[in-house]
Amino acid sequence: MEHQMPPEGDWRSWVILGGRGAGKTRAGSEWVRSMVEGARPEDKGRASRVALVGETIDQAREVMVFGESGILACSPPDRRPQWIAGRKMLLWPNGATAQIFSAFDPESLRGPQFDAAWVDELAKWKDAQGTWDMLQFGLRLGDAPRVCVTTTPRNRKVLTDLLDRDSTVMTHAPTEANRANLAASFLEEVRLRYAGTRLGRQELDGVLLADEEGALWSRANLETNRCKDMPDLDRIVVAVDPPVTGKVGSDECGIIVAGVTMQGAPQDWRAYVLEDATVSASSPTEWAHAAVDAFHHWQADRLVAEVNQGGDLVETVIRQIEPGVAYKAVRASRGKVVRAEPVAALYEQGKVHHVGMFDALEDQMCQMTNKGFTGSKSPDRVDALVWALTDLLVDAQRAQHRPRMRVLGH
């Protein structure tokens, strides 16, 4: 498969990000073979001294060496290396060696030197940075020592820093990419149990879920506030953030549906994000139809639309499609971050829940920082979310804390 093939070009580190069972181990094993083997069994290859680094010695031995997709299983009889247990080493017919190391013992990498390394599950290592640093000092043999990293992605600094380097190349595959070699019952079970969860995106889709520095929302908080079902809601709104222009290639039209339970005092109310109906529309009529369709589907109480860019035209377009829709125009008088901060605070207080998973929306949320939005395009989905939750919760809380006028008698 394509993600298992070494990329071309002049690179030092090849990172294979993949879901569980995506074929990462097989890719690592075949890469080691490609480095140490020559044209014939006893011919020298590009590398002759390889480091195999796993989370523990047992895992390195049982997965990387003896596993079903390990080096021994992938090697034909005339090229199969010999396992020397006392030295924790593989010895090939051409004299090349591969020694296993544990990430729990970074100091064991102090001294040995290599011209290639295979690192497995880097993002799981307890002392990932210390072990990685020791390995880099040992990769000093040959003209261009290389390392292959096979890992399920986790938001670890050692991994994100590695991916940011110019000398690093990355390939990616979800679990589904290797479905031909996986039990159908396994795929059915994990889909049923983890589809739509953060854990599923990480462990099955192989997606690196990173939080930006100073982000108003974190992945951990979103996961904490996620739910599968919604209660009976007292109000539902559809919030719209129209694009500046309505043509092909313009920004998306953010459309978010959210509802609220209004039991008790306003500080006890809870909001639920129900749908991200955002669309890429080539005309105002297209996004207006999408917004009105969401309004009817959810039997919403009101449609809230930002009018900074379109002014009265926004309402005109919507009413051309649904003349009687309950409509509220909102105008931004403050920056996006200032508007978003009270809504982000509600998430921290556990007052907003996502009913299911909204990948694109949540990606934008985690890119909204206290210094602005770090994404490549406009945060249209987040803007619509902020308008929806401001209408449902923020304004209610502000009204509660607004000083009341007293009428004084004479």
Side-chain angles (χ1 to χ4, degrees):
M1 289 183 284
E2 185 176 351
H3 72 278
Q4 295 175 305
M5 301 299 293
E8 297 180 356
D10 184 20
W11 51 266
R12 178 178 174 86
S13 302
W14 172 28
V15 179
I16 306 174
L17 292 183
R20 298 285 187 92
K24 302 185 298 295
T25 303
R26 179 61 182 267
S29 296
E30 295 290 1
W31 179 78
V32 170
R33 286 190 56 212
S34 72
M35 293 294 288
V36 302
E37 293 179 4
R40 293 170 298 186
E42 294 188 4
D43 289 350
K44 301 293 185 182
R46 175 173 174 174
S48 60
R49 298 183 68 175
V50 182
L52 306 176
V53 191
E55 185 177 12
T56 66
I57 289 291
D58 287 346
Q59 289 183 7
R61 182 181 60 243
E62 299 304 318
V63 174
M64 304 171 78
V65 176
F66 287 96
E68 291 183 2
S69 298
I71 294 171
L72 292 177
C74 294
S75 300
D78 62 337
R79 296 170 182 268
R80 184 172 295 132
Q82 175 188 358
W83 172 246
I84 305 175
R87 300 182 63 186
K88 302 183 181 67
M89 177 187 292
L90 288 169
L91 174 63
W92 272 266
N94 64 3
T97 61
Q99 187 175 355
I100 64 173
F101 297 88
S102 167
F104 274 88
D105 185 15
E107 291 300 308
S108 65
L109 287 161
R110 186 186 295 275
Q113 52 187 356
F114 316 98
D115 47 16
W118 172 21
V119 166
D120 190 45
E121 294 296 357
L122 171 66
K124 287 176 57 183
W125 295 355
K126 183 176 182 180
D127 185 13
Q129 191 64 63
T131 307
W132 178 259
D133 290 342
M134 287 297 100
L135 176 62
Q136 299 314 298
F137 287 120
L139 279 170
R140 56 180 183 260
L141 296 180
D143 296 331
R146 287 182 164 183
V147 57
C148 174
V149 177
T150 53
T151 187
T152 304
R154 290 188 181 182
N155 187 10
R156 298 288 302 276
K157 188 174 186 300
V158 64
L159 179 57
T160 56
D161 286 350
L162 175 60
L163 292 172
D164 284 340
R165 295 192 185 114
D166 294 336
S167 59
T168 299
V169 293
M170 188 266 286
T171 57
H172 164 264
T175 299
E176 286 280 348
N178 196 33
R179 60 182 178 274
N181 299 309
L182 300 173
S185 58
F186 162 77
L187 289 173
E188 182 180 359
E189 177 65 22
V190 294
R191 283 196 208 104
L192 180 65
R193 186 168 183 179
Y194 299 109
T197 68
R198 183 177 188 271
L199 186 62
R201 292 196 71 204
Q202 175 179 282
E203 301 293 325
L204 299 179
D205 297 336
V207 176
L208 180 60
L209 305 177
D211 294 329
E212 299 282 350
E213 183 177 353
L216 300 187
W217 287 274
S218 70
R219 302 276 181 185
N221 178 262
L222 293 175
E223 192 62 35
T224 298
N225 290 318
R226 196 181 311 284
C227 60
K228 293 184 178 179
D229 303 303
M230 63 181 180
D232 293 333
L233 300 172
D234 297 298
R235 287 188 68 234
I236 296 176
V237 301
V238 176
V240 183
D241 179 59
V244 177
T245 60
K247 60 182 180 181
V248 176
S250 62
D251 290 333
E252 294 177 317
C253 176
I255 304 174
I256 299 296
V257 184
V260 65
T261 58
M262 304 169 66
Q263 307 303 314
Q267 66 265 25
D268 298 323
W269 295 359
R270 295 291 183 271
Y272 295 82
V273 179
L274 308 175
E275 183 185 4
D276 178 2
T278 298
V279 294
S280 296
S282 59
S283 70
T285 302
E286 284 191 39
W287 61 253
H289 266 295
V292 171
D293 288 346
F295 179 87
H296 288 303
H297 175 77
W298 289 98
Q299 300 180 21
D301 297 278
R302 182 153 67 186
L303 195 153
V304 179
E306 181 183 320
V307 298
N308 281 58
Q309 303 296 339
D312 294 338
L313 177 63
V314 174
E315 182 178 3
T316 299
V317 173
I318 290 173
R319 292 204 181 281
Q320 285 176 348
I321 297 167
E322 182 57 75
V325 68
Y327 174 85
K328 177 184 177 181
V330 291
R331 186 176 295 275
S333 59
R334 300 177 298 169
K336 295 180 185 293
V337 174
V338 176
R339 296 200 312 271
E341 283 176 337
V343 173
L346 293 172
Y347 278 82
E348 293 181 3
Q349 296 163 9
K351 295 181 179 180
V352 184
H353 306 276
H354 286 194
V355 184
M357 190 85 177
F358 306 106
D359 294 346
L361 168 62
E362 293 173 10
D363 286 345
Q364 282 194 3
M365 294 171 71
C366 293
Q367 291 177 304
M368 181 66 75
T369 75
N370 51 23
K371 294 182 180 179
F373 183 63
T374 62
S376 58
K377 295 184 177 181
S378 177
D380 309 286
R381 300 167 194 262
V382 176
D383 286 343
L385 174 79
V386 168
W387 287 123
L389 296 177
T390 296
D391 186 81
L392 293 172
L393 285 181
V394 177
D395 287 348
Q397 292 187 346
R398 286 174 178 165
Q400 182 189 37
H401 292 96
R402 190 176 296 132
R404 296 181 179 179
M405 301 292 292
R406 289 201 308 164
V407 179
L408 301 178
H410 297 286

